[in-house]
Amino acid sequence: MDALACLMTRRTATRLVEPGPTTEQLAVILSAATTAPDHKMLRPWRFVVVRGEARATLATAIAEAAQAVGTLPEPVVRKAAGKATLSPALIAVVAARVQSKVPVGEQDASAAAAAQNICLAAHALGLASAWKSVPLLLDSAQVRAAFGLADGEELVGWVELGTQAQGMPLPSRPAVPLDQVAAELAVDGTLRPVAAVVPDQLPVSAAAAQPIGSARSGPVG
């Protein structure tokens, strides 16, 4: 799969099952994450892999965090904890901010770009992914401890990894009219909409025009 096809066909998985990523695939995915744009090469991010039985450890931490809120119904607590075991593996993305002249917002943007690279690398390897979070609980003491967050670090979220379940189609993504979201600055200072459609000559192969399959037989994401 070429780079443009990977970008154009990645989708968020709707249900992830085994097989999950191998150790070798995880190394490739994490290496891709480290290539995110990074002003002054601060490395303002780090990653925590959770898979196998360790998912239950994370689920316990989330459940404890939810119970500590004190007002959440038990079904809500169970659902929140269940997010840790929805996929064969996940990679947590931590915004590990560095003391620098580079603004915190720019460092956090680098961490978000690293998360996107994880999704794209997984897709290129034939895996499926979904970028998720646990609302209200990301900054809890229990979840912070599970990921070893230091003062000043924030959990961006995590990327679930696995194989898209058979019979569960990937969601479609209608093309966004470019003239609605993009403009070009003209010499006279006005902003003019860009071309509304992607040119036909864009070098994305016909085979990559839509996400493929639902199992390891082809790239999904």
Side-chain angles (χ1 to χ4, degrees), residues 83-185:
K83 289 178 179 289
T85 56
L86 286 177
S87 60
L90 63 86
I91 298 177
V93 179
V94 178
R97 297 149 179 168
V98 178
Q99 286 292 334
S100 169
K101 293 182 179 179
V102 178
V104 168
E106 189 172 333
Q107 295 187 42
D108 289 354
S110 180
Q116 172 72 343
N117 277 9
I118 289 172
C119 296
L120 291 170
H123 183 36
L125 290 172
L127 294 161
S129 68
W131 187 350
K132 296 293 182 67
S133 65
V134 183
L136 304 179
L137 303 178
L138 287 182
D139 199 42
S140 67
Q142 295 85 349
V143 174
R144 291 184 67 86
F147 292 119
L149 267 64
D151 290 345
E153 292 187 334
E154 297 293 340
L155 184 62
V156 176
W158 58 68
V159 179
E160 298 174 346
L161 297 169
T163 299
Q164 175 75 355
Q166 291 281 1
M168 296 290 291
L170 290 167
S172 61
R173 174 172 288 175
V176 177
L178 298 182
D179 58 351
Q180 294 181 10
V181 297
E184 181 175 355
L185 179 64

Side-chain angles (χ1 to χ4, degrees), residues 17 48 61 74 77-79 85 88 90 96 98-99 114 119 127-128 138 140 147 157 174 177 187 200 210 213-214 217:
V17 297
V48 180
E74 184 57 30
V77 174
R78 288 199 306 270
K79 183 176 181 180
T85 56
L90 63 86
V98 178
Q99 286 292 334
C119 296
L127 294 161
L138 287 182
S140 67
F147 292 119
V187 175
D200 291 337
Q210 58 185 8
S214 58
S217 60

